[in-house]
């Protein structure tokens, strides 16, 4: 088959089925899509310790669930590729357990990875792009090495916003040339947010218990918000980034996605550590902890001072109402609330922040592509040319203007780049989150993570009403989102964020709030809002 024919076939296999099922919903009323009951619905990792099910049984049940819910039924389109060896790996881990060897709490637990994370196995790593179709990494990403060592079963690769949503200013989150459009499991015509859309949908729809996402600005916490799950975006440098297709050396990080804070803390523990291929993890100020589950305390709000970042409120009255309910829960848990603790630099340095990403993306993607196989593009310029050559498959709805802007930038020795970095660090850290924490003498800040999910729109792109991811993302600081309630059946999360290396504090606060509020509800796969 010629290369052009190969890509046309690959594209149609990914997008055609999704488009067909998407359009078939057009004439139907709002109602739940009938789905068979699932034994592992809302299952948590701690249940593995009961011994009622083997790892192979759990893995096979999740594979069956993916067939029933993702590939048919509601056709969520969250999964790009199944690991063909997953069941055999699970069986081997069962043998280890039977022989008395248990690697840790993740021993035998299936995990789904975002498809910008390298795996040295039979699965590809493509960032959702047909340009990398056929690329098999030669080495696991550092966090994948850590997960395998901890006994996790790498189950599948998840769909994502192509190139982690850094290709177009008018993109539809959750869409990729390779995989088509991922759908929100609460209401199927709504968007799952990006770029870790498939990872979040997989967790929310019970296709797995754990998934790994990545974030540059909002790509863990926004899809967690839109799909009613927990997302932990850690301090940059807590998790190694080698083997992850990059956007920004200063903002990129992998993150844990789960239905509970406890499960997310388990996975964060497994993935954390110094990566010899990532200098950011060798930061002398880094404060990695051997076990983040130590901070899962129901009374964790006791005595905490929490600032309300009101400048991220006001985009939707119903969301403000949910946040007021969350604040009441925290007060009832004996937290002291500082009602207005605004980040005064918010919104003042967006141009510098975007320039920073453009420079770092060009540098990082050129370095990554240089190590791919002979059939893959080797530079950003090659990617741009590929997308133009295969525009019918890669750019049917939106273009690649971010790619083109990045290509026009110089290298990292540019004065403009150095000035942008200095501005972002000063405004996000010294004059941003750190200044706000000091001024109001608070331990952490809270804000709505984002809006309820908007209708997916391939023509106009995403419709964000509001969100609070940028301060922590640009600072490289930790951020945890937890379900906080629903607006017309669509989930909304609350974010807890603070200074560098404050994961233990944030896990403690998020867990206490989660246990007291209990806003996670299993999605019902509605066709649309009534």
């Amino acid at each position: 088959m010629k290369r052009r024919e190969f890509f046309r076939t690959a594209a149609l296999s990914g997008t055609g089925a999704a488009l067909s099922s998407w359009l078939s919903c057009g004439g139907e009323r709002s109602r739940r899509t009938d789905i068979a009951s699932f034994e592992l619905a809302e299952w948590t990792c701690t249940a593995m310790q009961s011994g009622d099910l083997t790892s192979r049984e759990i893995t096979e049940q999740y594979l069956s669930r993916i067939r029933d819910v993702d590939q048919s039924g509601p056709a969520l389109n969250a999964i790009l590729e199944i690991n063909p060896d997953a069941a055999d790996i699970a069986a081997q881990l069962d043998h280890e357990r039977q022989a008395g060897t248990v690697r840790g709490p993740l021993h035998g637990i299936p995990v789904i990875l975002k498809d910008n994370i390298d795996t040295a196995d039979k699965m590809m790593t493509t960032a959702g792009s047909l340009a990398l179709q056929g690329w098999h990494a030669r080495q696991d990403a550092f966090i994948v090495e850590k997960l395998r060592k901890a006994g996790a079963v790498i189950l599948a690769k998840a769909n994502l916003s192509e190139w982690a949503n850094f290709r177009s200013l008018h993109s539809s989150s959750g869409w990729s040339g390779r995989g088509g459009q991922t759908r929100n499991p609460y209401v199927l015509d709504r968007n799952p947010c990006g770029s870790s859309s498939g990872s979040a949908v997989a967790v929310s729809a019970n296709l797995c218990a754990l998934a790994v996402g990545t974030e540059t600005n909002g790509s863990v916490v926004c899809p967690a918000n839109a799909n009613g799950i927990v997302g932990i975006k850690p301090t940059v440098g807590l998790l190694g980034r080698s083997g992850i297709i990059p956007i920004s050396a200063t903002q990129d990080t992998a993150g844990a996605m789960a239905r509970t804070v406890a499960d997310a803390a388990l996975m964060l523990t497994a993935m954390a550590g110094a990566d010899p291929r990532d200098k950011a993890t060798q930061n002398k100020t880094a404060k990695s902890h051997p076990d983040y589950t130590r901070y899962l305390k129901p009374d964790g709000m006791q005595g905490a001072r929490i600032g309300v970042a009101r400048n991220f409120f006001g985009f939707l009255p119903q969301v403000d109402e949910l946040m007021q309910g969350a604040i009441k829960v925290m007060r009832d848990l004996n937290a002291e609330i500082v009602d207005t603790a605004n980040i005064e630099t918010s919104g003042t340095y967006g141009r510098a922040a975007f320039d920073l990403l453009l420079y770092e993306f060009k540098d990082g993607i050129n370095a990554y592509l240089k190590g791919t196989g002979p059939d893959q593009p080797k530079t950003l310029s090659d990617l741009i040319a590929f997308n133009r050559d295969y525009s019918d498959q890669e750019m049917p709805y939106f273009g690649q203007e971010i790619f083109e802007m990045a290509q026009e930038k110089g290298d990292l020795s540019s004065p403009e780049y150095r000035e942008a970095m200095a501005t972002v660090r000063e405004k996000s850290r010294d004059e941003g989150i750190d200044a706000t924490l000091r001024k109001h003498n608070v331990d952490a800040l809270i804000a709505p993570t984002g809006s309820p999910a908007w209708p997916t729109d391939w023509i106009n792109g995403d419709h964000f009403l509001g969100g609070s991811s940028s301060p922590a993302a640009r600072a490289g600081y930790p951020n945890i989102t937890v379900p906080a309630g629903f607006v017309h059946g669509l989930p909304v999360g609350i974010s807890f964020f603070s200074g560098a290396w404050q994961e233990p504090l944030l896990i403690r606060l998020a867990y206490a709030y989660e246990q007291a509020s209990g806003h996670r509800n299993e999605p019902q796969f509605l066709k649309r809002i009534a």
Side-chain angles (χ1 to χ4, degrees):
M1 182 181 292
K2 293 181 179 179
R3 184 171 173 81
R4 180 175 293 275
E5 292 172 347
F6 170 76
F7 284 116
R8 183 179 300 275
T9 301
L12 291 175
S13 67
T15 59
L19 182 60
S20 174
S21 61
W22 182 273
L23 294 176
S24 71
C25 298
E28 297 184 29
R29 296 180 178 180
S30 171
R31 63 179 178 84
R32 184 184 186 278
T33 300
D34 291 332
I35 301 295
S37 62
F38 182 53
E39 183 179 353
L40 299 184
E42 303 300 284
W43 186 85
T44 64
C45 295
T46 53
M48 182 71 188
Q49 299 170 6
S50 70
D52 293 338
L53 291 171
T54 66
S55 176
R56 180 156 191 157
E57 288 170 336
I58 293 167
T59 298
E60 289 177 342
Q61 286 204 42
Y62 279 131
L63 291 172
S64 177
R65 175 74 167 182
I66 289 169
R67 287 191 295 270
D68 291 344
V69 173
D70 193 68
Q71 299 172 353
S72 58
L76 298 175
N77 224 35
I79 304 302
L80 279 178
E81 189 171 2
I82 297 293
N83 183 357
D85 296 324
D88 291 340
I89 292 169
Q92 179 57 43
L93 289 163
D94 286 333
H95 290 315
E96 288 186 18
R97 185 182 291 274
Q98 292 163 6
T101 298
V102 177
R103 302 186 191 187
L106 294 190
H107 188 107
I109 303 294
V111 174
I112 289 175
L113 305 176
K114 185 177 180 179
D115 184 44
N116 61 347
I117 301 172
D118 285 349
T119 54
D121 54 23
K122 295 175 184 176
M123 293 188 292
M124 294 180 282
T125 303
T126 69
S129 172
L130 297 174
L132 293 186
Q133 189 90 0
W135 163 237
H136 290 82
R138 302 179 184 94
Q139 183 177 358
D140 280 339
F142 176 77
I143 58 169
V144 177
E145 293 175 359
K146 296 278 287 182
L147 287 168
R148 292 194 202 275
K149 185 176 180 181
V153 178
I154 306 304
L155 184 68
K157 292 284 188 78
N159 201 8
L160 70 162
S161 307
E162 186 176 307
W163 296 109
N165 233 357
F166 204 71
R167 198 193 83 185
S168 173
L169 297 170
H170 306 288
S171 62
S172 172
S173 287
W175 186 93
S176 73
R178 183 182 172 203
Q181 180 67 54
T182 303
R183 304 167 75 183
N184 191 301
Y186 286 90
V187 182
L188 297 174
D189 70 351
R190 296 277 160 161
N191 197 268
C193 197
S195 63
S196 305
S197 47
S199 297
V201 170
V203 170
S204 183
N206 285 283
L207 311 183
C208 62
L210 301 174
V212 182
T214 66
E215 174 162 326
T216 304
N217 187 348
S219 288
V220 165
V221 297
C222 181
N225 167 83
N227 294 282
I229 65 168
V230 174
I232 300 181
K233 196 286 291 189
T235 305
V236 172
L238 186 67
L239 307 184
R241 282 100 47 93
S242 63
I244 299 177
I245 298 175
I247 293 176
S248 167
T250 56
Q251 290 181 208
D252 287 352
T253 181
M257 309 183 83
R259 288 183 292 274
T260 67
V261 176
D263 278 0
L266 275 178
M267 189 160 62
L268 187 69
T269 299
M271 293 191 294
D275 178 355
R277 296 183 282 157
D278 182 1
K279 292 181 180 178
T281 65
Q282 297 156 31
N283 188 326
K284 292 181 180 179
T285 66
K287 297 178 181 178
S288 178
H289 293 259
D291 183 5
Y292 286 99
T293 65
R294 292 171 49 198
Y295 306 102
L296 300 171
K297 299 179 179 180
D299 61 351
M301 284 278 178
Q302 181 79 36
R305 280 179 58 85
I306 298 175
V308 183
R310 289 279 175 190
N311 49 334
F312 298 104
F313 287 58
F315 57 82
L316 193 67
Q318 297 97 317
V319 172
D320 288 351
E321 185 177 346
L322 291 180
M323 294 303 107
Q324 288 305 118
I327 290 168
K328 182 182 185 303
V329 169
M330 294 178 211
R331 283 197 171 112
D332 290 345
L333 292 171
N334 296 316
E336 185 175 352
I337 302 297
V338 178
D339 192 71
T340 301
N342 288 343
I343 301 173
E344 295 176 0
T345 56
S346 178
T348 65
Y349 57 102
R351 180 71 249 182
F354 188 53
D355 281 340
L356 179 74
L357 298 187
L358 292 174
Y359 275 101
E360 293 188 342
F361 176 71
K362 181 181 180 181
D363 179 77
I365 200 64
N366 282 339
Y368 181 87
L369 292 174
K370 191 181 298 183
T372 60
D375 296 329
Q376 282 75 46
K378 290 294 175 286
T379 65
L380 176 57
S381 179
D382 292 344
L383 281 182
I384 292 170
F386 177 92
N387 288 339
R388 288 173 180 160
D389 288 344
Y390 298 97
S391 59
D392 288 351
Q393 290 80 43
E394 277 293 342
M395 299 193 294
Y397 308 115
F398 51 86
Q400 56 178 342
E401 56 271 24
I402 293 178
F403 275 15
E404 291 163 349
M405 285 186 279
Q407 180 60 27
E408 293 301 312
K409 295 297 185 184
D411 60 29
L412 300 189
S413 66
S414 165
E416 183 187 41
Y417 169 70
R418 293 198 297 269
E419 182 179 347
M421 176 178 281
T423 298
V424 172
R425 285 186 170 176
E426 180 180 42
K427 297 296 185 182
S428 66
R429 297 178 183 180
D430 300 342
E431 298 178 8
I433 290 176
D434 293 336
T436 306
L437 295 172
R438 287 193 305 268
K439 178 180 178 180
H440 298 282
N441 188 28
V442 293
D443 301 307
L445 301 168
I446 60 169
T449 307
S451 65
W454 56 92
T456 292
D457 184 345
W458 294 332
I459 307 304
N460 298 301
D462 291 334
H463 307 298
F464 295 99
L465 292 180
S468 60
S469 66
S470 289
R474 289 169 176 167
Y477 288 175
N479 188 359
I480 300 179
T481 181
V482 179
F486 294 83
V487 174
H488 294 294
L490 295 166
V492 171
I494 183 169
S495 282
F496 297 80
F497 50 102
S498 189
W501 317 113
Q502 291 300 310
E503 284 82 1
L505 165 70
L506 297 181
I507 288 170
R508 179 164 57 85
L509 298 177
Y511 181 76
Y513 170 75
E514 173 197 54
Q515 295 301 297
S517 59
H519 286 300
R520 162 67 191 176
N521 287 335
E522 188 178 353
Q524 296 298 301
F525 310 105
L526 299 179
K527 298 290 187 183
R528 61 179 49 81
I529 293 174

